[in-house]
Amino acid sequence: MSGTSTTVANRLREVFLNGHFIANTNYREQLQDLNWMQATQKTGNFNTIAALTYHINYYMAGILDAFETGKLTISDKYSFDLPPIQAEQDWQHLVVTLLSNAEKLADAIEKMTADKLSQPFFDEKYGTYQRNMEAVIEHSYYHLAQIVLLKKIVADSHQ
């Protein structure tokens, strides 16, 4: 474990589980009080909150699987293939899975040595482990901002 791995892991925890430093919120706070109808409400041609939640979880789950199997098999073309959400339990399952995967990924990052962080991420064309873990964080903040905005639009449409 290196100081860098702890820093990257804690940044991942911030965006998903407990942080306020960058966005003054996190996924847990934004998703915990939404019901499945709000999460799946379509607004214009934007993705739904549920679709964005699935999208971010797709990448985390794929990375976790790659850590276990040694094979990176995720593909951008499947990252929005959200299974139907037809009840509250479907939505809650997605939220719990996202938050659980965030903690698992943070734990895995935290255990990485500085040497591991500087190694190629499965293929040299993807850059290093550190670059990819930081990209997960940045990508997650990008979609967190969308979720915050969509949540406000959804709330306004119910007033």
Side-chain angles (χ1 to χ4, degrees), residues 101-118:
N101 282 341
E103 188 58 55
K104 288 175 189 171
L105 185 56
D107 288 347
I109 294 167
E110 197 164 38
K111 292 174 184 161
M112 290 182 185
T113 63
D115 184 54
K116 181 69 171 181
L117 284 172
S118 67

Side-chain angles (χ1 to χ4, degrees), residues 24-59:
N24 202 33
T25 192
N26 56 67
Y27 277 82
R28 182 189 315 268
E29 286 181 3
Q30 290 302 309
L31 301 178
Q32 71 184 357
D33 63 348
L34 284 174
N35 64 45
W36 75 279
M37 298 290 283
Q38 294 166 315
T40 59
Q41 182 176 323
K42 192 74 177 136
T43 304
N45 64 351
F46 300 120
N47 288 307
T48 65
I49 293 170
L52 293 169
T53 303
Y54 175 85
H55 175 73
I56 287 297
N57 186 62
Y58 174 82
Y59 287 105

